[in-house]
Amino acid sequence: PSSTTTTPSTTTASIITVPTEGVLAFGCAAVAASGRQIITMCSQSWGFGVGCNQDLTGSKIDLAGSIAYSFEDCLRSCAQTNRITKNDTCVGVSFNGDLPLFMEKYYGNCFLKRYLAKPKADARPLAAVASLVSSP
């Protein structure tokens, strides 16, 4: 009889560096030009229309604010909120890639919206909004 010795193998996950300061790389025009942004989790998908150099403001419009390291992460937060609540609680987002400015002033750069207001012009080049246009 022969014997076999198995040596256990380990997989090491790669380490990522999360930005804690500075401006995030974000090209809104390229994102908007690609059309509707689709976020899929499990077998469910949410579609978002994108607007550049805009903001959504209004009385009690913000559902929640958080730090997002990409526009896609911000959209994913909105979709995840809807997946958990099983309805369209989040109907849009405002995002800005200028972490130093937004962390100091607003303690976040991704704001989930409970209703959609008319978008306001925002001259900051890293500003974007998205509105929910389709959901499961």
Side-chain angles (χ1 to χ4, degrees):
S2 64
S3 66
T4 305
T5 304
T6 305
T7 305
S9 64
T10 59
T11 303
T12 304
S14 60
I15 297 173
I16 62 169
T17 303
V18 176
T20 56
E21 60 183 39
V23 176
L24 300 173
F26 176 56
C28 186
V31 172
S34 69
R36 183 180 293 176
Q37 297 300 294
I38 305 295
I39 300 296
T40 301
M41 285 184 270
C42 300
S43 61
Q44 298 178 310
S45 295
W46 290 261
F48 295 88
V50 177
C52 300
N53 302 97
Q54 297 176 349
D55 194 6
L56 297 170
T57 61
S59 177
K60 299 184 181 181
I61 192 172
D62 289 336
L63 178 65
S66 64
I67 300 168
Y69 298 108
S70 70
F71 184 59
E72 183 178 349
D73 285 345
C74 189
L75 296 178
R76 190 172 306 283
S77 291
C78 183
Q80 177 73 346
T81 297
N82 292 343
R83 189 182 75 75
I84 290 169
T85 60
K86 296 182 177 26
N87 62 39
D88 292 341
T89 300
C90 178
V91 297
V93 303
S94 289
F95 172 83
N96 195 294
D98 190 339
L99 279 180
L101 174 67
F102 273 72
M103 290 304 299
E104 182 178 324
K105 288 181 80 171
Y106 308 109
Y107 307 105
N109 66 331
C110 170
F111 300 92
L112 308 185
K113 304 301 179 177
R114 68 178 78 237
Y115 68 88
L116 294 176
K118 182 178 178 184
K120 291 174 50 175
D122 188 332
R124 295 174 288 218
L126 299 171
V129 298
S131 55
L132 185 66
V133 294
S134 65
S135 60

